[in-house]
Amino acid sequence: MNTIITPALVSLDVDLGTSAPEVIQRLTDLVVASGRATAPEDLYADAIAREEQASTGFPGGLAIPHCRSSAVLEPTLAMARLQPPADFGAPDGPADIVFFIAAPAGANQEHLKILSTLARSLLKTDFTDALRGAASAEEIVAIVNAAVEAPDGEAAVGAAGASAGAGSGATDPAAAAAGTGVAAGAGAKAAGTAAPAARRIVAVTACVTGIAHTYMAADALVAAAAETGVDLQVETQGSSGSTPLDPSVIAAAEAVIFAVDVDVRGRERFVGKPLVSAPVKRGIDEPAAMISEAIAAADNPAAKRVTGTDEPSAGTTVTGDGSRESFGQMLKRSLLTGVSYMIPFVAGGGLLIALGFLLGGYNITDHADTIVLDNSLANLPDGGLGQYLGAVAFKIGALSMAFLVPALAGFIAFGIADRPGIAPGFTAGAVSGFMGAGFLGGIVGGLLAGFVALWIGRLPAPRWLRGLMPVVVIPLVASIVASGLMFLVLGGPIAALTAALNDWLSGMTGVSAILLGIILGLMMAFDLGGPVNKVAYSFAVAGLGAASLTNQGPWHIMAAVMAAGMVPPLAMALATTLRRGLFSEPERENGKAAWLLGLSFISEGAIPFAAADPFRVIPAGMLGAAVTGAMSMGFAVTSKAPHGGIFVFFAIDNFWLFLLSIAVGVVVSALAVILLKQYAVRKKPVAVAV
């Protein structure tokens, strides 16, 4: 802790100029001279940029310029006691006490909590009096260290839920906030008589950097609420973490205060509440006024209210950023997160494998390891630089594709438990691959790892253990539990199911193969990159690892999926060319871009059209994609590349039949959307005079 500030970072009774930029320049030079930052011009620019967003001067002769900067090597405090004072924009005049907070761009939460505690301490008169009376830099360092090392119960406001209530008797923010999450004195008895029920308000504070203003505004509001007998609970959405307010507290509140410079996370939780909103600095400068305005808003039926999405239904959960989502929404989000992070491994690896086949021939699979390890053009089975480059490309691609299941599982777990879930998820995914459980095993392993990591992370832990939880305890225990269950219980049955599914798909011929092509085509065009589309695509790429010259079923499926996914954007491009008058000018411009997007197998190229007219564009796209999927499967087209569209022609057998399938589907979809737009006309809304 004593490395945050040192005597070398303290300047007492000095003339650093009378303006904020002058003082900031001198303090940034001091930080760089102490070896805690690398580039004074970059640090100064970041600090000034923050100052321009909102002044950092506060009543009482205080200023706290601060910033995050990539130039900063370690979290640092520099302090100056100025003679003469400098103007930092405070309403009551210039500042003589200036703390410059310099945080690295990736500062961890423990350091940010320390910096935030210091900022909040400046609201306490005994702290600032001690700073003004200190005789040496060493004494300043001791005062600052004592403030930031105070026990949690003596700190100003916790991450969330700090409250002040009627009869609390608190005269400063520290006292008002004692007992985080518990109403301080609300409903207490005085002289044997029950105190009158306190007015209940909730507040959210947040600033751009989330270091100083966020917590100072919270403290100031809590102190003002305590003085006026208002039960106030605050959620600080700062860099050192945020614990969402309890839903029951929000439900009981009569009004809400947003003292913020950024968007409120989880705003939908407050929908319908009377609202007082202002920049975070007003929460510091005029907390009593904001409290009074909130009480007035609560009593005014016509007061401004929080708007947004509907309030969440019962059974929803609170995520780490304070937003609320149902279990089903969390599950969908996590699965899509896993697929999203998996695709780059698949796309890059699959294209390299296809390139390896092109350069080295299909038998490169038998010799790639020997060729690459030998790392020589000599002793090649067939000789030639092409075969060597093909072996290298194939091996890099195969190694990349080997991350398919671990990456899927790892980032599913990440979607559930954040970073502590990544290692257990990757491990469970690797176990799934080892046991032959494949794509399905990766999903199950990722979900297991994520939920176990989330559960462990929510367990109470002593202060000394908290720092080890996300990097040691959670990954260790979650890996043991999730991977252990995969080994002992789940891996075998899932592997058997996967093998049976692969055998069934490999044996599909004739009508059954065409039916599968229709289903995959419908899925690819249904939501254009959404969950249904991703399920079909993931199903296709997951089978590529088992494909071979004797088992070409997965290659057939990959070709059908890629061809069908190219249809919607190409169809919209064709339709805007054939019947320009049916489309708006922005849609016609999007149609030009959709040619390249469609040819590259980027289904999302049709999203602008679907968003503007979903009930005609999506059915038309699905019709053509289904035709293309059926034709591709019927023609037994194969694709050894998982992405790239026509640009991976070298990896597609029966390439001309592949193009024919796409062309027919594009024409079908384009004609369908033209007919629907021309004859299935939507009723225009009746204009209402205002």
Side-chain angles (χ1 to χ4, degrees):
M1 170 56 243
N2 57 7
T3 61
I4 293 287
I5 185 171
T6 66
L9 292 164
V10 178
S11 298
L12 297 183
D13 305 321
V14 292
D15 181 359
L16 301 184
T18 57
S19 69
E22 290 177 293
V23 176
I24 291 173
Q25 178 69 74
R26 300 286 293 275
L27 290 175
T28 56
D29 290 342
L30 187 64
V31 172
V32 173
S34 68
R36 293 168 173 266
T38 55
E41 62 278 3
D42 292 344
L43 179 56
Y44 173 76
D46 290 334
I48 290 298
R50 174 62 187 89
E51 196 74 19
E52 290 174 348
Q53 293 172 345
S55 62
T56 56
F58 301 99
L62 304 173
I64 314 178
H66 58 278
C67 69
R68 289 173 180 254
S69 176
S70 58
V72 179
L73 301 177
E74 57 181 307
T76 299
L77 304 177
M79 182 267 187
R81 195 167 65 195
L82 302 178
Q83 288 296 338
D87 182 11
F88 276 81
D92 63 344
D96 65 316
I97 297 290
V98 179
F99 271 99
F100 176 49
I101 302 177
N108 63 40
Q109 286 198 1
E110 287 303 315
H111 283 131
L112 291 171
K113 287 178 182 178
I114 292 169
L115 299 175
S116 303
T117 301
L118 167 76
R120 289 165 12 205
S121 296
L122 288 171
L123 291 177
K124 295 187 275 187
T125 56
D126 57 344
F127 180 73
T128 54
D129 288 345
L131 294 175
R132 290 190 170 95
S136 67
E138 289 76 11
E139 190 174 346
I140 292 288
V141 171
I143 292 169
V144 171
N145 284 341
V148 297
E149 290 177 340
D152 289 346
E154 298 173 17
V157 176
S163 59
S168 66
T171 58
D172 67 18
T180 298
V182 181
K189 294 184 178 181
T193 304
R199 305 299 295 267
R200 295 182 176 181
I201 298 175
V202 291
V204 176
T205 62
C207 66
V208 176
T209 56
I211 296 173
H213 289 65
T214 299
Y215 303 96
M216 296 178 74
D219 286 345
L221 289 167
V222 166
E227 291 177 0
T228 55
V230 173
D231 182 352
L232 174 70
Q233 299 205 30
V234 184
E235 178 179 313
T236 54
Q237 297 186 355
S239 295
S240 60
S242 174
T243 302
L245 288 166
D246 189 281
S248 63
V249 171
I250 297 175
E254 301 174 66
V256 60
I257 294 172
F258 289 163
V260 297
D261 291 334
V262 294
D263 291 338
V264 174
R265 298 196 296 266
R267 182 187 180 93
E268 69 277 0
R269 296 171 293 155
F270 305 94
V271 167
K273 296 289 183 185
L275 172 66
V276 173
S277 182
V280 68
K281 198 164 186 300
R282 187 174 182 237
I284 301 169
D285 296 339
E286 303 176 20
M290 294 193 75
I291 296 290
S292 298
E293 292 168 14
I295 294 298
D299 296 331
N300 180 8
K304 177 182 178 182
R305 294 176 181 269
V306 181
T307 59
T309 58
D310 294 336
E311 293 191 52
S313 59
T316 58
T317 58
V318 179
T319 65
D321 65 357
S323 61
R324 299 173 63 77
E325 61 182 355
S326 68
F327 178 79
Q329 290 171 326
M330 181 183 70
L331 198 62
K332 182 178 96 170
R333 174 180 54 79
S334 302
L335 291 172
L336 287 180
T337 298
V339 172
S340 176
Y341 280 101
M342 172 197 78
I343 286 176
F345 290 98
V346 173
L351 290 173
L352 283 167
I353 289 175
L355 184 61
F357 286 145
L358 175 68
L359 296 174
Y362 290 125
N363 64 344
I364 196 67
T365 56
D366 300 327
H367 310 292
D369 288 0
T370 302
I371 294 172
V372 172
L373 291 174
D374 185 49
N375 200 26
S376 170
L377 297 180
N379 302 321
L380 293 176
D382 298 319
L385 179 62
Q387 189 176 43
Y388 175 76
L389 294 177
V392 171
F394 175 83
K395 196 59 189 176
I396 295 173
L399 291 172
S400 177
M401 287 288 287
F403 284 102
L404 188 156
V405 175
L408 173 69
F411 287 104
I412 287 175
F414 167 75
I416 297 171
D418 213 327
R419 283 184 294 178
I422 293 179
F426 264 86
T427 305
V431 171
S432 173
F434 173 75
M435 299 191 70
F439 179 65
L440 296 177
I443 293 176
V444 173
L447 293 173
L448 275 174
F451 284 118
V452 172
L454 181 65
W455 174 71
I456 298 171
R458 289 179 173 177
L459 294 176
R463 187 182 184 88
W464 60 268
L465 187 59
R466 291 175 195 167
L468 294 176
M469 289 292 289
V471 295
V472 177
V473 177
I474 295 176
L476 174 64
V477 177
S479 295
I480 292 173
V481 174
S483 297
L485 286 173
M486 289 298 296
F487 269 128
L488 300 175
V489 181
L490 300 171
I494 296 174
L497 177 62
T498 300
L501 181 62
N502 287 334
D503 292 342
W504 174 63
L505 292 174
S506 300
M508 272 192 162
T509 57
V511 175
S512 60
I514 292 173
L515 178 61
L516 178 61
I518 292 173
I519 295 172
L520 292 173
L522 293 172
M523 294 175 69
M524 288 300 296
F526 177 72
D527 53 2
L528 304 172
V532 177
N533 172 285
K534 287 292 190 290
V535 167
Y537 180 72
S538 300
F539 170 71
V541 298
L544 290 179
S548 66
L549 291 176
T550 58
N551 176 26
Q552 298 190 21
W555 289 339
H556 295 152
I557 293 171
M558 190 71 255
V561 164
M562 185 153 63
M566 295 167 65
V567 167
L570 290 174
M572 295 305 107
L574 179 60
T576 57
T577 302
L578 296 176
R579 293 295 302 274
R580 293 174 57 83
L582 294 175
F583 298 89
S584 66
E585 182 59 32
E587 286 177 324
R588 292 196 289 270
E589 290 300 315
N590 286 328
K592 297 176 183 177
W595 285 112
L596 180 59
L597 295 174
L599 292 173
S600 303
F601 179 37
I602 300 176
S603 304
E604 289 85 347
I607 287 179
F609 302 92
D613 191 3
F615 295 108
R616 289 184 287 190
V617 170
I618 291 178
M622 292 175 66
L623 178 61
V627 170
T628 294
M631 291 181 65
S632 178
M633 290 294 287
F635 290 144
V637 177
T638 65
S639 173
K640 301 171 186 66
H643 215 289
I646 65 166
F647 300 103
V648 290
F649 61 90
F650 55 84
I652 299 173
D653 290 337
N654 299 322
F655 180 67
W656 295 110
L657 293 176
F658 177 77
L659 288 183
L660 176 63
S661 302
I662 295 171
V664 172
V666 167
V667 171
V668 169
S669 283
L671 292 177
V673 78
I674 288 172
L675 291 173
L676 288 172
K677 281 184 173 289
Q678 186 168 351
Y679 297 109
V681 181
R682 292 178 296 179
K683 292 183 179 180
K684 295 183 178 180
V686 179
V688 179
V690 294

